[in-house]
Amino acid sequence: MKHRVTSYSDEELFAHLVDAGLAEAAFSELYRRHGQRMYAYCMRVLGSVRQAEDVFQEAMMKFFQSGQSGTEVKNVAGYLMLTVRNLCLNRKRDTKITFSLEDYDIHVPSGAAHYEAEELAQLISSALELLEDDYREAVVLREYDGFSYQEIATITGSTEVNARTRVFRAKQQLRTILQPYFNDIMKHR
Amino acid sequence: MNYSELIHDFLDGTMEQAEEEELLMAIARRADLREELRQALALKAAFKADFQALTPPMHLTNSIFAEMGFAAPGASALGTSALATVGTSASAPVATGGMFSAIYTFLQGSFLTALASSFLTAALFLTWNHFASEESGQQERIVQLPASLALQRITPQASYLQETKHLHTVTREQWTSSSTHNFEQNNIRNFNSQEQEQSSAQQRQDESGFGISSSSNSIVSTPSDATTSTSPDNALPPAALASTVREPSLPTVAPNKQYQTISAPEPISLTAATPDADGFFQHLQINARGITSVSLPRATLPSNPSSFLRNTAIGALYRLTEQHCFGFEFGEEAFFQRFRATDGERQLVMDVQQNPSLLWAGLAYRYVMMPENNVSPILHTVLGGTQIGATGRVMLGLNYSPDARTQFTLGVESSALVYTHQGIWYASPKIGITYGVSLKL
């Protein structure tokens, strides 16, 4: 089956998880398609490598067990995202940590003369943790996981307009947080 | 108008045409909007770069798959964008050859085929046992018969050969009911294996006027008779012929001084590789064996549960000669892997351990040292591959052949999986015992 799974839809692959002979190939393909996005979500929403890995592994196990139990799912990506999100919310609820801007000293690379995405990416993770949970989640779902606003609204239980607003405001706040970096870039231009 | 929102929509791809034109005109006029657009673009690029760096680490992926009872996935289980970031050298252990990979894919994709092969092997085994038991029953009759054997053997005497031209035949029943000699089993086998030769000898005897006419009957083949009937000395003068036959320990002349032959309409072949066995399938044999082995060093992790092929090897060999066999073999075995993985993004060096159960397949060669003996040392080698690397195995053992078609094997086997990860080669050796059965078709 391995040479054919790439042509299967998510839903077909999920349905094959009940088949012991095909489950491994089906899960491997689903993991290949969605694993990184889910892991990125865990990392950026939880902000802790250890917690992200724990939640990611737990989510994958739950997802697999759901498939093996014959659960019918029409939108596998959304279902997996909800699984990951619920576990992330549980984890955050259990380990509530508040952040303030003063907790972070955004390090601006010295001598940066250009917009370097790599450098900025290193700052993004810290900056994301300063956002409110709803904003951070919305921008991660949009920019990391590639969900549409409609899908984000479904996942987060809000409206499409609300989802779009959250993403926009999250980006605005990130720009504000990263303004020292942008200013430094301007000075060296 | 909020141009910041328009810039957001513009980069989001959700802007309408009219708004886009207005925004572009505004950007052309205002430097602050150009800077805002530049920052928004930088932010978007940063999101993308950050995402690409967020690949599930290998130890996490392996842990997830191991918990589910699956083999650790290869590099393909990671997103392609992740591969672009990490680099191809940072991929998981990869298959070494397209052929092995194709074989593996075939095996994995044809699980039912493998299952069917197993059942076929079992069916052949049972079928053979059925016929073998019947045949061995025949053998037993033959072997046991000599206890009451009263076969009247005739030492060819010159005078008799000269005087008697008429011979008559006796059936097997006649032979068995009147036999008294206690032949050894090997002699009985000689009887069966030499019937062909005797037929031709009969022909020669016919031509020389000895009067043995029935092609379906053969002369009773005792050691001395075989000598007599097959020897070209039959063509010698009687005096010379008599002098060539010396069997003092065996009874000699029959009361009626007649040759007695038995009816053997269907030769019983007790050796698979008879000279006329020139068909392809007559040179094939199917092997099934179990493998009990341990990893070196000992595995610290349990392997994932797997198919029925676990610790089993099934193969088919073609006997070029009685000593040399070539063929293929496939099976499944757990190989304990321990290798070092470097995560360049996080500057981490990880000691990765896993114990996946892998399907393997390869070309097999078997050398039988003494094929003529019931017990013979053998050397069995397989060179093949798994989905993550090449594998080889060498077995030294003993073959026991209770009959011409069945062989039981017991031996010591050493195997190894050789694979590469991030440009470094590793090997997972194993040693153990193997036991199995081979059936010649």
Side-chain angles (χ1 to χ4, degrees):
Chain A
M1 176 180 175
K2 195 167 186 175
H3 61 290
R4 293 195 299 264
V5 290
T6 52
S7 62
Y8 283 26
S9 69
D10 286 351
E11 288 67 34
E12 289 172 324
L13 292 171
F14 189 76
H16 279 308
L17 292 181
V18 298
D19 188 339
L22 303 176
E24 183 172 358
F27 180 78
S28 294
E29 177 64 13
L30 286 169
Y31 187 87
R32 189 190 68 79
R33 291 182 189 179
H34 303 293
Q36 188 184 12
R37 292 197 300 162
M38 301 303 126
Y39 181 73
Y41 177 90
C42 294
M43 281 291 294
R44 288 296 164 255
V45 168
L46 293 172
S48 158
V49 174
R50 187 178 58 81
Q51 290 194 32
E53 290 186 355
D54 287 348
V55 168
F56 177 69
Q57 182 162 358
E58 187 179 353
M60 284 298 165
M61 289 303 300
K62 281 184 178 293
F63 174 72
F64 178 69
Q65 288 163 358
S66 297
Q68 287 208 311
S69 65
T71 304
E72 284 193 23
V73 173
K74 293 181 179 177
N75 180 356
V76 171
Y79 177 77
L80 179 57
M81 188 69 247
L82 278 175
T83 304
V84 172
R85 180 175 184 266
N86 288 337
L87 290 172
C88 284
L89 291 177
N90 290 343
R91 184 59 63 99
K92 286 175 71 69
R93 184 190 59 210
D94 295 340
T95 57
K96 186 65 179 176
I97 300 173
T98 56
F99 298 100
S100 66
L101 195 57
E102 289 72 27
D103 293 335
Y104 285 86
D105 175 21
I106 300 297
H107 170 69
V108 179
S110 60
H114 306 287
Y115 286 112
E116 293 290 348
E118 297 287 337
E119 292 175 345
L120 189 54
Q122 293 174 10
L123 302 176
I124 284 286
S125 59
S126 298
L128 278 171
E129 293 181 23
L130 300 177
L131 300 181
E132 293 178 29
D133 289 349
D134 292 346
Y135 290 178
R136 178 168 62 249
E137 182 182 36
V139 77
V140 167
L141 289 172
R142 177 65 183 168
E143 297 296 337
Y144 287 72
D145 297 330
F147 286 109
S148 68
Y149 291 120
Q150 176 62 49
E151 290 170 325
I152 293 171
T154 304
I155 291 168
T156 60
S158 62
T159 64
E160 187 173 348
V161 173
N162 198 357
R164 182 184 171 281
T165 302
R166 285 178 182 175
V167 172
F168 171 70
R169 289 182 180 170
K171 288 182 180 178
Q172 292 295 96
Q173 289 188 19
L174 285 173
R175 277 185 57 218
T176 302
I177 294 168
L178 296 171
Q179 199 60 50
Y181 175 80
F182 291 127
N183 292 339
D184 190 70
I185 296 295
M186 287 296 293
K187 276 192 290 185
H188 289 86
R189 185 171 292 169
Chain B
M1 178 161 293
N2 187 341
Y3 284 108
S4 293
E5 281 192 44
L6 289 181
I7 289 174
H8 172 258
D9 291 345
F10 177 68
L11 296 180
D12 227 18
T14 56
M15 178 179 273
E16 295 181 2
Q17 184 69 25
E19 291 177 322
E20 186 174 324
E21 290 176 2
E22 184 180 342
L23 174 65
L24 292 175
M25 289 178 65
I27 288 173
R29 289 194 307 269
R30 294 169 51 178
D32 62 323
L33 290 181
R34 287 197 293 274
E35 180 56 25
E36 187 172 343
L37 176 62
R38 195 173 289 115
Q39 291 178 6
L41 282 169
L43 205 55
K44 198 169 186 66
F47 285 138
K48 186 177 180 182
D50 188 34
F51 172 71
Q52 289 179 343
L54 292 175
T55 306
M58 191 181 306
H59 71 87
L60 180 60
T61 299
N62 290 343
S63 175
I64 290 170
F65 277 72
E67 195 167 344
M68 292 173 183
F70 297 154
S76 60
L78 302 174
T80 51
S81 58
L83 284 178
T85 301
V86 176
T88 52
S89 64
S91 59
V94 294
T96 53
M99 183 186 74
F100 299 138
S101 161
I103 292 172
Y104 170 74
T105 302
F106 169 77
L107 289 174
Q108 190 184 46
S110 305
F111 184 81
L112 291 178
T113 304
L115 192 63
S117 301
S118 176
F119 281 124
L120 178 63
T121 306
L124 283 171
F125 180 76
L126 294 173
T127 304
W128 163 246
N129 270 356
H130 174 71
F131 286 115
S133 61
E134 285 187 354
E135 192 166 301
S136 67
Q138 285 183 323
Q139 280 183 262
E140 283 180 5
R141 281 202 308 274
I142 295 172
V143 172
Q144 290 168 358
L145 287 172
S148 59
L149 198 63
L151 176 64
Q152 296 149 352
R153 293 189 67 255
I154 300 169
T155 300
Q157 294 182 353
S159 58
Y160 172 75
L161 292 173
Q162 283 178 322
E163 294 168 6
T164 306
K165 298 290 181 73
H166 173 71
L167 299 175
H168 71 88
T169 62
V170 295
T171 63
R172 185 187 295 271
E173 288 71 21
Q174 288 175 300
W175 176 57
T176 57
S177 63
S178 60
S179 297
T180 55
H181 292 296
N182 185 14
F183 292 103
E184 295 179 0
Q185 183 176 353
N186 286 342
N187 292 342
I188 299 301
R189 288 189 177 186
N190 286 339
F191 156 71
N192 293 294
S193 63
Q194 290 171 354
E195 282 182 344
Q196 290 280 335
E197 297 175 83
Q198 289 163 4
S199 296
S200 58
Q202 276 183 289
Q203 187 65 34
R204 287 196 298 272
Q205 285 174 330
D206 288 345
E207 292 169 359
S208 61
F210 287 174
I212 302 173
S213 56
S214 173
S215 60
S216 63
N217 294 332
S218 58
I219 299 172
V220 172
S221 177
T222 65
S224 59
D225 283 346
T227 302
T228 303
S229 58
T230 60
S231 169
D233 290 344
N234 283 344
L236 294 174
L241 182 61
S243 66
T244 63
V245 181
R246 295 186 179 86
E247 194 79 9
S249 62
L250 294 173
T252 55
V253 181
N256 57 3
K257 293 193 175 184
Q258 287 182 332
Y259 271 109
Q260 295 185 352
T261 61
I262 66 168
S263 174
E266 294 180 5
I268 302 170
S269 173
L270 292 181
T271 56
T274 53
D276 60 337
D278 53 356
F280 176 79
F281 291 104
Q282 288 173 295
H283 291 269
L284 278 183
Q285 68 182 57
I286 295 175
N287 312 319
R289 58 194 181 93
I291 303 167
T292 302
S293 57
V294 294
S295 299
L296 298 175
R298 294 293 294 266
T300 56
L301 295 170
S303 63
N304 50 307
S306 53
S307 67
F308 73 100
L309 278 174
R310 176 80 176 276
N311 294 330
T312 303
I314 296 175
L317 294 174
Y318 182 85
R319 296 190 304 281
L320 288 179
T321 67
E322 285 299 311
Q323 283 191 309
H324 302 282
C325 308
F326 290 90
F328 71 92
E329 196 169 44
F330 64 92
E332 184 171 350
E333 192 174 10
F335 287 94
F336 179 63
Q337 294 178 277
R338 183 171 183 174
F339 55 91
R340 179 164 293 184
T342 304
D343 187 337
E345 292 295 320
R346 300 183 189 182
Q347 301 297 311
L348 291 176
V349 178
M350 296 170 287
D351 183 30
V352 180
Q353 297 182 26
Q354 57 186 23
N355 194 21
S357 193
L358 303 172
L359 281 171
W360 57 267
L363 300 176
Y365 165 72
R366 178 174 288 193
Y367 174 72
V368 182
M369 190 174 291
M370 297 182 291
E372 70 278 7
N373 291 351
N374 285 350
V375 178
S376 167
I378 63 165
L379 168 70
H380 185 91
T381 62
V382 180
L383 193 59
T386 69
Q387 80 258 42
I388 62 173
T391 184
R393 51 186 65 240
V394 178
M395 184 260 280
L396 283 173
L398 290 175
N399 250 10
Y400 168 62
S401 305
D403 55 58
R405 287 188 176 174
T406 311
Q407 295 176 343
F408 294 101
T409 304
L410 178 64
V412 180
E413 180 164 305
S414 175
S415 60
L417 168 71
V418 181
Y419 58 97
T420 178
H421 179 65
Q422 294 183 336
I424 301 174
W425 286 91
Y426 299 90
S428 298
K430 299 189 76 174
I431 191 165
I433 61 170
T434 182
Y435 44 87
V437 62
S438 300
L439 301 173
K440 295 181 179 178
L441 299 181

